[in-house]
């Protein structure tokens, strides 16, 4: 049975107003520190209300969509929460996409206004020129020069508006904001979340699992446009009155180290790829240089070796969990003091998790099944995509697209994405299991595994491996890595082929795009057939 939930928000509920009220007594406390300056909770509340009034003054109406294409800075939460306060629907999008992607999102969302960082303005203008859209207002954060005709500066919009006296009378269950799925297997999907959904993620995960409080300073390598980053750097800290460090640049190891040492966050949120890169860096700070009490990981399952080495170095645990754009944040997680590296832990209280076989029935302990989740933070739907909505949102259950196994003690272990699973010699093989074994080798930085047909048309595993700097990827290393995997896994699981590459294809949120590797292999095979 699902655990008893905390009190539900009232039927009349505006998430932005909820956060303003929660921090009314912290007006002087720092809410955000970005690359330029800081913003107190009092200033945040006023700017949210000014942003709401400013947007409404442009003729925007309740439930109009507002595209939010902005690097992480203090204007991001003001824009996002200002739109929600006004009863508008912010559509937060990835800052690393192409003009073609944004053109699709503009048309799909029918956004009436866009809030954009000056550095991203040229790309958005290219998107606007590519196809039909309904964009009427362009608002630019931190413009460095002359604005395009008709565009407005964000600060000027706020300065010219009186703070909106009261929030829009929104309901807990009405659309509050959109996030686009990462699009790792095709076109991104507009995922519609309610005003209540972020409330639930804070109540079920940030407070009881992470134990987050107003004494914490949070720093997330995952950006705000990502569901994981939105919780880490906005929903969670603002729900308890904590301080947030925001970083506009890419989360390289050195960029993260600089914030860890200078700003001394107590909680760091990252992804497995980032943790691997930091551990491999010669500039890894010493334990005494940082103030970390806890770290978090999501996006993909955290390999056991990375977790153990991080804890050995910094003396703090990485709380690995799995969430999704559709569920908004983590629903299956390790817990402080009960971390089992190599597993994703147990269900978060308030969520129900079930593993189902190909027949749709629950599987037993030790068996691999499709992961389904039931909980109050599930999205309403995918916008204008009934087929995918029905496939994913099944009654009270959400189908994750991930495969897992559960042991007798109730701990869940990742087995890969449903469309990534391989059958080798008639037995399911999890690409992640092979990858997690490869990265335990001291010379391996990253690995991705796919299935390729052999001469008889049977599926065998092939690994794409990124070696650490200065390591040789010759025949001797291939043989060494194959023997390394054979010594740790069942014989049918070792990679029959190994290709050394400089980098792996990934989404902007750090997830490995194995489908691109499969497509690459298919093209190579086709070329070989033509030459033959």
């Amino acid at each position: 049975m699902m655990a008893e939930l905390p009190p539900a928000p009232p039927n009349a509920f505006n998430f932005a107003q909820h956060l303003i009220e929660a921090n009314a007594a912290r007006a002087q406390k720092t809410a955000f520190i970005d690359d330029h300056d800081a913003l107190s909770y009092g200033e945040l509340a006023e700017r949210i209300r000014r942003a709401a009034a400013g947007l409404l003054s442009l003729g925007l109406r309740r439930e109009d969509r507002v595209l939010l294409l902005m690097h992480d800075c203090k204007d991001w939460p003001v824009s996002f929460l200002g739109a929600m306060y006004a009863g508008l629907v912010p559509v937060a999008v990835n800052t690393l996409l192409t003009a073609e992607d944004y053109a699709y999102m503009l048309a799909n969302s029918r956004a009436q206004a866009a809030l954009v960082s000056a550095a991203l303005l040229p790309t958005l203008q290219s998107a606007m020129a590519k196809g039909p859209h309904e964009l009427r207002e362009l608002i630019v954060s931190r413009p460095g020069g002359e604005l395009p005709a008709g565009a407005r500066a964000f600060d000027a919009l706020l300065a010219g508006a009186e703070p909106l006296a009261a929030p829009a009378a929104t309901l807990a269950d009405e659309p509050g904001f959109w996030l686009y799925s990462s699009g790792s297997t095709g076109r991104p999907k507009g995922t519609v979340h309610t005003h209540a959904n972020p409330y639930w993620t804070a109540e079920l995960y940030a407070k009881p699992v992470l134990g987050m409080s107003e004494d914490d300073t949070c720093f997330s390598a995952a950006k705000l446009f990502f569901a994981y980053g939105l919780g880490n750097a906005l929903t969670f800290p603002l729900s308890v009155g904590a301080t947030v460090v925001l970083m506009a640049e890419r989360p390289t190891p050195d960029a993260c180290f600089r914030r860890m040492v200078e700003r001394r966050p107590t909680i760091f949120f990252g992804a497995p790829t980032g943790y691997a890169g930091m551990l491999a860096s010669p500039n890894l700070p010493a334990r005494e240089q940082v103030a970390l009490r806890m770290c978090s990981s999501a996006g993909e399952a955290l390999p056991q070796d990375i977790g153990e080495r991080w804890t050995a170095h910094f003396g703090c645990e990485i709380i690995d969990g799995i969430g999704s754009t559709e569920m908004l944040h983590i629903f299956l997680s390790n817990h402080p003091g009960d971390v089992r590296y190599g597993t994703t832990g147990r269900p978060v209280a308030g969520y129900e998790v079930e593993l189902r076989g190909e027949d749709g029935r629950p599987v037993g302990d030790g068996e691999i099944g499709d992961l389904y989740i039931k909980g109050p933070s599930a999205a309403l739907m995918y916008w204008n995509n009934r087929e995918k909505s029905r496939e994913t949102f099944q009654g009270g259950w959400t189908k994750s697209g991930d495969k897992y196994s559960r042991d007798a003690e109730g701990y869940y272990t990742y087995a890969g994405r449903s469309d990534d699973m391989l059958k080798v010699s008639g037995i399911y093989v999890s690409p992640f299991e092979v990858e997690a074994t490869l990265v335990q080798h001291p010379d391996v930085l990253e690995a991705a595994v796919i299935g390729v047909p052999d001469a008889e048309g049977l599926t065998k595993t092939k690994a794409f491996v990124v070696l650490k700097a200065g390591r040789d990827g010759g025949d001797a290393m291939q043989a060494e890595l194959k023997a390394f995997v054979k010594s740790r896994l069942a014989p049918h699981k070792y990679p029959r082929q190994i290709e050394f590459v400089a980098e792996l294809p990934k989404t902007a949120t750090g997830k490995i795009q194995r489908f691109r590797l499969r497509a690459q292999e298919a093209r190579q095979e086709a070329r070989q057939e033509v030459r033959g």
Side-chain angles (χ1 to χ4, degrees), residues 26 35 161 164 238 303 380 384 443 462 464 481 484 512:
R26 301 186 179 95
D35 296 338
L164 193 64
L238 267 56
L380 292 173
N384 283 353
D443 292 338
K462 176 175 180 177
F464 294 82
L481 291 180
F484 184 81
I512 296 171

Side-chain angles (χ1 to χ4, degrees), residues 60 64-67 109-114 134-137:
L60 298 177
D64 276 348
R65 267 81 67 190
V66 177
L67 193 82
S109 68
R110 298 200 288 273
Q112 300 294 302
E134 299 183 18
L135 205 63
R136 296 187 286 110
E137 297 289 344

Side-chain angles (χ1 to χ4, degrees), residues 166-357:
T170 52
L171 303 178
D173 287 341
E174 77 174 73
F177 61 96
W178 294 14
L179 299 173
Y180 273 94
S181 68
S182 61
S184 59
T185 58
R187 281 287 197 187
K189 299 178 288 292
T191 310
V192 182
H193 279 285
T194 69
H195 273 266
N197 284 2
Y199 165 87
W200 284 119
T201 62
E203 294 299 315
L204 297 179
Y205 189 71
K207 296 177 183 179
V209 177
L210 299 182
M212 192 180 291
S213 76
E214 63 181 338
D215 297 328
D216 280 310
T217 296
C218 302
F219 172 43
S220 176
K223 300 299 184 180
L224 282 161
F225 66 77
F226 182 26
Y228 179 48
L230 180 65
N232 305 339
L234 191 152
T235 302
F236 293 178
L238 267 56
S239 292
V240 299
T243 295
V244 183
V245 176
L246 294 178
M247 176 177 72
E249 65 184 296
R250 288 179 56 248
T252 62
D254 284 346
C256 291
F257 295 157
R258 189 158 59 251
R259 273 76 179 182
M260 287 180 184
V261 172
E262 293 176 2
R263 300 299 185 187
R264 297 183 66 78
T266 55
I267 306 179
F268 173 72
F269 301 84
T273 299
Y275 284 111
M278 285 188 278
L279 286 169
S281 171
N283 300 322
L284 186 68
R287 181 185 298 194
E288 57 271 16
Q289 291 179 275
V290 304
L292 298 173
R293 72 169 182 85
M294 178 187 297
C295 293
S296 168
S297 180
E300 285 198 310
L302 181 74
Q304 179 177 352
D305 177 66
I306 292 175
E308 290 176 345
R309 287 194 288 129
W310 184 272
T311 296
H313 182 85
F314 285 111
C316 66
E317 296 173 319
I318 299 179
I319 309 301
D320 182 33
I322 181 175
S324 67
T325 305
E326 293 76 12
M327 293 303 295
L328 192 56
H329 214 277
I330 290 171
F331 49 80
L332 181 64
S333 180
N334 280 273
H335 291 65
D338 184 25
V339 171
R340 296 197 182 187
Y341 288 129
T343 81
T344 315
R346 295 183 291 181
V348 171
Y351 292 93
E352 191 173 349
V353 170
E354 196 170 274
L355 300 183
R356 300 178 188 174

Side-chain angles (χ1 to χ4, degrees), residues 112-142:
Q112 300 294 302
L115 293 150
V116 59
S117 290
L120 298 167
L121 179 59
T123 307
L124 183 59
Q125 289 178 296
S126 296
M128 293 165 62
K130 285 184 178 296
H133 60 79
E134 299 183 18
L135 205 63
R136 296 187 286 110
E137 297 289 344
L138 193 57
I139 304 151
V140 184
S141 168
R142 302 182 190 273

Side-chain angles (χ1 to χ4, degrees), residues 5-169:
L5 296 175
N11 184 50
F13 183 75
N14 183 293
F15 183 64
Q17 175 65 5
H18 165 70
L19 294 181
I20 289 174
E21 292 176 347
N23 295 294
R26 301 186 179 95
Q28 303 305 313
K29 187 170 190 276
T30 299
F32 289 98
I33 305 169
D34 69 10
D35 296 338
H36 299 278
D37 50 23
L39 191 68
S40 71
Y41 272 102
E43 292 168 331
L44 174 65
E46 180 176 348
R47 287 177 72 83
I48 288 170
R49 293 167 59 215
R50 284 185 181 274
L55 290 169
L56 293 176
S57 74
L58 302 179
L60 298 177
R61 299 176 299 174
R62 278 284 297 272
E63 298 186 18
D64 276 348
R65 267 81 67 190
V66 177
L67 193 82
L68 178 51
L69 175 60
M70 198 177 287
H71 289 134
D72 281 18
C73 66
K74 68 180 186 181
D75 287 349
W76 203 108
V78 170
S79 301
F80 183 83
L81 295 172
M84 293 184 75
Y85 191 90
L88 306 172
V89 179
V91 179
V93 298
N94 189 329
T95 59
L96 301 173
L97 301 180
T98 65
E100 287 77 11
D101 293 315
Y102 299 133
Y104 168 77
M105 292 172 176
L106 284 172
N108 180 252
S109 68
R110 298 200 288 273
Q112 300 294 302
L115 293 150
V116 59
S117 290
L120 298 167
L121 179 59
T123 307
L124 183 59
Q125 289 178 296
S126 296
M128 293 165 62
K130 285 184 178 296
H133 60 79
E134 299 183 18
L135 205 63
R136 296 187 286 110
E137 297 289 344
L138 193 57
I139 304 151
V140 184
S141 168
R142 302 182 190 273
E146 187 175 345
L147 288 169
R152 305 168 189 269
F154 184 68
D155 281 342
L157 180 69
L158 268 61
E162 289 296 319
L164 193 64

